[in-house]
Amino acid sequence: MRYGAADLWSSRITNIVFVLCMVPALISMSIIYIMNNDVVRLLLSNQGNGAPPKLAMDERFFFAMMQGQCWPALILIAWIGPKLIAPDLANDALPIILSHPISRTEYVLAKLAVLIAYMSAVTWVPASLLFAFQSYMSSLPWAFEHLHILFGMFVGSVLWI
């Protein structure tokens, strides 16, 4: 598992795609900050004489955020998935690897663990951090009332993975 992950992190394209997968989380963090900061919302309003814009931080917001994260994560997995196994197949190393005291199941689970780690790093971990950020920024006791969102994001991400 560690060799597969190390090989993937050495690729510049993988690093670029990984960073691009974090862009929706950064945009969502900016939106959460703007919607919870009255001064910024007043500056964005029509020169202070109109009502400041307000976006509800509810299930729809976090669902849209999850969609924005999961589709780039699919591109990341489509890029790194073949790169995990292709070198073993191209160099005829798979029979040599499997001749050591490792079973096929262990080989597949190790490769799958790398994919799960990458997908977790771009789906439910940033979503949980955004939930915590919204809980911190909200002036109301927001987190306890919206725990179902956190649970839904985690279950949805695990299903996506």
Side-chain angles (χ1 to χ4, degrees):
M1 178 181 156
R2 67 177 178 221
Y3 297 118
D7 288 342
L8 291 176
W9 281 115
S10 65
S11 170
R12 286 186 184 174
I13 295 175
T14 304
N15 291 335
I16 290 169
V17 174
F18 185 81
V19 169
L20 289 177
C21 287
M22 293 298 157
V23 169
L26 292 173
I27 292 171
S28 298
M29 183 177 279
S30 301
I31 292 171
I32 289 171
Y33 178 77
I34 289 168
M35 290 301 120
N36 286 305
N37 192 329
D38 293 332
V39 174
V40 175
R41 287 190 310 123
L42 282 173
L43 288 173
L44 291 176
S45 68
N46 191 6
Q47 298 169 347
N49 58 7
K54 186 68 175 164
L55 178 67
M57 294 296 145
D58 58 357
E59 297 87 3
R60 287 177 285 170
F61 173 78
F62 284 98
F63 179 69
M65 182 269 310
M66 285 298 295
Q67 283 181 328
Q69 279 184 293
C70 286
W71 288 110
L74 180 67
I75 295 169
L76 176 69
I77 292 303
W79 174 256
I80 67 173
K83 289 184 76 167
L84 284 172
I85 298 177
D88 295 342
L89 293 174
N91 299 325
D92 289 329
L94 197 55
I96 296 170
I97 291 171
L98 294 176
S99 69
H100 290 89
I102 182 174
S103 68
R104 290 180 182 166
T105 306
E106 291 171 338
Y107 176 80
V108 170
L109 288 177
K111 299 297 182 177
L112 187 61
V114 173
L115 292 176
I116 289 172
Y118 265 89
M119 287 292 282
S120 294
V122 296
T123 56
W124 69 266
V125 172
S128 300
L129 292 174
L130 286 174
F131 183 86
F133 184 64
Q134 168 59 24
S135 300
Y136 173 74
M137 290 295 295
S138 179
S139 59
L140 303 172
W142 187 87
F144 187 70
E145 296 174 3
H146 295 88
L147 277 177
H148 63 281
I149 296 174
L150 181 63
F151 179 73
M153 287 189 303
F154 179 74
V155 170
S157 296
V158 169
L159 289 174
W160 187 265
I161 291 170

